[in-house]
Amino acid sequence: MENFASPARKLVAEMTEAAVRTPVRAVAFQGAPGANSHIAVREAFPEGLPLPCFSFEDAIDAVKEGRAGCAMIPIENSLHGRVADIHFLLPESGLSIIGEHFLPIRYALMGLGPIEGVRQAMSHPQALGQCRHWLKAQGIAPLAYPDTAGAAAMVAEDGDPAVAALAPPGAAALYGLETLGADIADAEHNMTRFVILAREPLAEAGAGPFMTTLVFEVKNVPAALYKALGGFATNGVNMTKLESYQRGGSFAATEFYADIVGSPDEAPVARALEELKFHTKWMRVLGTYQQARERA
């Protein structure tokens, strides 16, 4: 809790105390109260108890240690791509993806005013990237901070009118700041996809349609990825996301994160995954869950 700026600590303490009393209802998220992840938790779990955590690792640990029933973690944004480090954290966490949620994103510039005196905007790198054109047009330099709403609390604590925060609009009232610019976004389609993580996979994934998320490492041979993905094409399985990342600094083997439409209980998906296993060093399914938004 000490990592949060002082204006946020009282709110964090109150929310943490409620979660401690009923951990099964607690939903861990990264950020201070008022962050986009907090908004997503309230939308997806109206009866849940939001549990603010300073980092993604803290939110994941809260679930692993039983202090929360699940966690909501942003995984990608329509403007700025994947959220840094998530592809490493998910496989290492040992948790399973049991759901997803899409949240439209809008930001406000907030501070001690006026906007003419603002020289820097403090926020999470994702938020700064999503609003970089607007900030450049205003002559405002980006200033990275681990959290959007946490940046608002820090601006309130520091008291410097030259530094404002880029955060969800509701954070201004929470931390006693003035709204200096509203509805800030570089594109109307600004949307963040969250995944819901739990200690155990879903026993029943529901009625569908389904998504399945997996990670795998290809063999260090020519055409390795081509061979690994061939089973999805021949079995008519739609792959909606494929991203690569390096681990360990070897630059010799590449790991991939993928989303596919369907469930391993469906014969085409089962065949495609079986072929994938044959052509890779290892493969792990991170979860099968209902689609929150249908993929064409």
Side-chain angles (χ1 to χ4, degrees):
M1 189 180 303
E2 297 77 16
N3 290 325
F4 289 102
S6 58
R9 289 175 194 160
K10 182 179 179 182
L11 293 171
V12 172
E14 292 172 353
M15 296 166 72
T16 301
E17 183 179 348
V20 167
R21 289 196 297 267
T22 318
V24 69
R25 291 175 53 204
V27 184
F29 68 93
Q30 184 272 330
N36 282 313
S37 294
H38 184 194
I39 298 169
V41 169
R42 290 188 300 182
E43 285 188 1
F45 297 91
E47 304 301 320
L49 298 172
L51 175 61
C53 303
F54 190 74
S55 69
F56 292 126
E57 292 92 335
D58 293 340
I60 288 171
D61 287 344
V63 179
K64 293 168 66 174
E65 295 165 5
R67 292 183 284 113
C70 62
M72 282 195 72
I73 301 294
I75 193 165
E76 59 184 324
N77 175 265
S78 61
L79 285 179
H80 205 55
R82 75 184 183 194
V83 177
D85 297 334
I86 289 301
H87 294 67
F88 295 105
L89 293 173
L90 286 183
E92 294 170 355
S93 71
L95 302 179
S96 296
I97 302 176
I98 63 168
E100 63 177 359
H101 183 77
F102 290 84
L103 179 72
I105 303 297
R106 286 294 181 271
Y107 290 110
L109 187 73
M110 56 194 71
L112 303 174
I115 190 172
E116 290 77 13
V118 174
R119 297 291 176 264
Q120 292 180 304
M122 180 186 296
S123 195
H124 190 279
Q126 274 277 335
L128 295 171
Q130 292 162 27
C131 303
R132 63 187 182 277
H133 298 305
W134 187 92
L135 292 173
K136 184 177 181 180
Q138 304 299 318
I140 298 174
L143 180 61
Y145 190 79
D147 170 37
T148 54
M154 183 61 71
V155 166
E157 180 178 85
D158 287 347
D160 183 356
V163 181
L166 194 64
L174 282 178
Y175 303 114
L177 299 176
E178 297 179 32
T179 299
L180 309 179
D183 201 26
I184 298 170
D186 285 345
E188 289 298 317
H189 63 74
N190 194 1
M191 182 84 67
T192 294
R193 177 186 175 219
F194 292 78
V195 291
I196 303 167
L197 305 175
R199 287 184 294 277
E200 299 294 336
L202 291 173
E204 295 288 339
F210 302 108
M211 293 297 295
T212 294
T213 297
L214 58 136
V215 287
F216 60 90
E217 181 179 338
V218 296
K219 299 176 181 178
N220 190 20
V221 296
L225 183 60
Y226 175 83
K227 295 174 182 176
L229 299 183
F232 295 101
T234 56
N235 286 285
V237 176
N238 184 18
M239 180 173 287
T240 62
K241 186 177 184 66
L242 179 67
E243 290 193 346
S244 63
Y245 56 99
Q246 295 283 345
R247 185 190 298 271
S250 69
F251 296 98
T254 301
E255 297 180 16
F256 289 87
Y257 169 100
D259 288 329
I260 60 174
V261 175
S263 163
D265 291 335
E266 301 167 7
V269 175
R271 290 193 297 267
L273 293 178
E274 191 64 31
E275 190 165 340
L276 177 66
K277 289 179 184 177
F278 181 79
H279 289 293
T280 56
K281 290 184 178 180
W282 56 264
M283 184 275 290
R284 180 187 167 200
V285 172
L286 297 181
T288 297
Y289 46 93
Q290 282 186 289
Q291 295 179 18
R293 170 176 292 192
E294 188 171 354
R295 276 65 162 184

